[in-house]
């Protein structure tokens, strides 16, 4: 798919990786709808991007809200052929912390946003994409999810986050297999450690030890490197049903 044909919903598009994807699409002639719970950042991001961007205040965990806004976004964009799921939360916490066992609500809310939310927007987007006119090879749309290397080697304190991201990796292939008959591809990116507000919120010593742990290049990933990978996936129709690590060869240690 050419980037100037992109009409995309980007969840978590107000910040970090999602925002970088929105910038990349708009810079190359695409149109974007930003879905985010952060009203202020969402409005500001859409304003900065200009006429090719719209913000829809959306909680990815709301089934009705997502269906309504996916429809509204399709109407505003004049179509919908790409979904990039970037909305996510860290949900850090030990199974057995100083205060006792983790409240189930903490685990559940992390899985709800990162995994259930990704599925929720994907199914609503696919329901509309299936009606698109078929392009080359019969392609009607592309869904890109964001997992994490924590899906494979989660650290202490990441039981909930890793479970949620492992679920995203797990649903990629069955969803790609099922949606193949509609010409909709499903691909997941598993980032290592990227410079975004999510990482900004970590203590400096944690950030430094994270950078030092990355073999090459020995630095945090840049959001535009994530956006380039999204663009690469869109441009290469043979990539489907796969999770791509984007991580400078990092393998997270237990802590
Ligand atoms: N930054 C990293 O190092 C890194 C590494 C691996 C994976 N990831 C994943 O990449 C994705 C983007 O992360 P980021 O670093 O850009 O984080 P970020 O915090 O900068 O952006 C995440 C965005 O998601 C939004 N969001 C949170 N809950 C939401 C909800 N219920 N509905 C709608 N929007 C919601 C937030 O408001 C925020 O704007 C996340 O899924 C994250 O888990 C990030």
């Amino acid at each position: 798919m050419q980037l100037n044909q992109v009409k995309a919903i980007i969840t978590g598009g107000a910040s970090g990786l999602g925002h970088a994807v929105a910038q990349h699409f708009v810079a190359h002639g695409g149109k974007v709808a930003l879905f985010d719970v952060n009203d202020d950042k969402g409005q500001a991001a859409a304003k900065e991007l200009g006429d090719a961007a719209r913000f829809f205040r959306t909680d990815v965990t709301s089934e009705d809200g997502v269906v309504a806004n996916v429809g509204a976004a399709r109407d505003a964009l004049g179509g919908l052929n790409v979904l990039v799921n970037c909305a996510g939360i860290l949900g850090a916490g030990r199974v057995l912390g100083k205060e006792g066992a983790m409240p189930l609500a903490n685990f559940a809310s992390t899985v709800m946003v990162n995994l259930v939310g990704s599925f929720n927007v994907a199914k609503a987007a696919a329901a509309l994409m299936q009606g698109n006119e078929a392009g080359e090879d019969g392609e009607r749309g592309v869904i890109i999810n964001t997992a994490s290397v924590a899906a494979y080697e989660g650290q202490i304190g990441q039981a909930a986050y890793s479970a949620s991201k492992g679920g995203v990796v797990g649903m990629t292939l069955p969803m790609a297999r099922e949606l193949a008959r509609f010409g909709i591809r499903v691909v997941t990116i598993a980032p290592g450690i990227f410079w975004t507000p999510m990482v900004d919120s970590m203590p400096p010593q944690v950030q430094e030890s994270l950078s030092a742990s990355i073999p090459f290049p020995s630095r945090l990933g840049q959001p535009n490197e994530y956006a380039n990978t999204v663009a690469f996936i869109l441009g290469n129709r043979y990539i489907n049903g796969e999770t791509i690590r984007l991580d400078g060869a990092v393998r997270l240690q237990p802590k």
Side-chain angles (χ1 to χ4, degrees), residues 11-19 35-38 41 58-61 85-90 113-114 146-150 161 165 189-199 202 226:
T11 75
S15 178
L17 302 184
H19 185 49
F35 280 21
D36 208 292
V37 282
N38 190 323
K41 281 185 87 168
T58 312
D59 182 342
V60 295
T61 68
N85 269 319
C86 282
I89 56 173
L90 266 178
V113 174
N114 295 354
T146 310
S148 164
V149 294
Y161 186 72
K165 296 300 190 177
I189 301 171
I193 308 144
F194 278 67
W195 266 125
T196 68
M198 192 180 259
V199 172
M202 295 175 180
Y226 176 89

Side-chain angles (χ1 to χ4, degrees), residues 12-223:
S15 178
L17 302 184
H19 185 49
V21 173
Q23 287 175 316
H24 192 89
F25 285 169
V26 170
H28 291 85
K31 290 185 177 174
V32 298
L34 311 179
F35 280 21
D36 208 292
V37 282
N38 190 323
D39 241 321
D40 293 345
K41 281 185 87 168
Q43 302 278 9
K47 198 172 165 199
E48 169 219 307
L49 290 164
D51 289 345
R54 288 279 306 273
F55 170 63
F56 294 84
R57 198 216 170 268
T58 312
D59 182 342
V60 295
T61 68
S62 160
E63 188 167 26
D64 293 346
V66 163
V67 168
N69 282 356
V70 167
R74 193 257 318 255
D75 294 348
L77 299 174
L80 173 66
N81 51 18
V82 174
L83 163 66
V84 184
N85 269 319
C86 282
I89 56 173
L90 266 178
R94 290 184 180 233
V95 180
L96 295 178
K98 286 188 189 119
E99 317 277 294
M102 177 192 288
L104 191 56
N106 294 12
F107 187 91
S109 63
T110 308
V111 173
M112 196 67 193
V113 174
N114 295 354
L115 173 57
V116 180
S118 297
F119 176 79
N120 191 27
V121 189
K123 58 125 172 151
L128 297 187
M129 286 176 182
Q130 66 173 331
N132 288 349
E133 202 176 308
E136 269 186 77
D137 284 329
E139 188 173 64
R140 290 191 172 81
V142 184
I143 295 171
I144 299 176
N145 299 307
T146 310
S148 164
V149 294
Y152 305 104
E153 64 264 5
Q155 298 186 294
I156 290 169
Q158 290 192 311
Y161 186 72
S162 296
S164 71
K165 296 300 190 177
V168 172
V169 173
M171 77 179 173
T172 302
L173 181 61
M175 214 183 254
R177 285 173 160 170
E178 184 189 331
L179 299 182
R181 71 190 184 97
F182 303 113
I184 299 171
R185 292 189 287 135
V186 183
V187 181
T188 294
I189 301 171
I193 308 144
F194 278 67
W195 266 125
T196 68
M198 192 180 259
V199 172
D200 270 343
S201 66
M202 295 175 180
Q205 65 274 25
V206 174
Q207 295 173 351
E208 279 156 31
S209 79
L210 286 174
S211 296
S213 69
I214 300 165
F216 184 83
S218 189
R219 59 166 173 79
L220 302 191
Q222 290 155 5

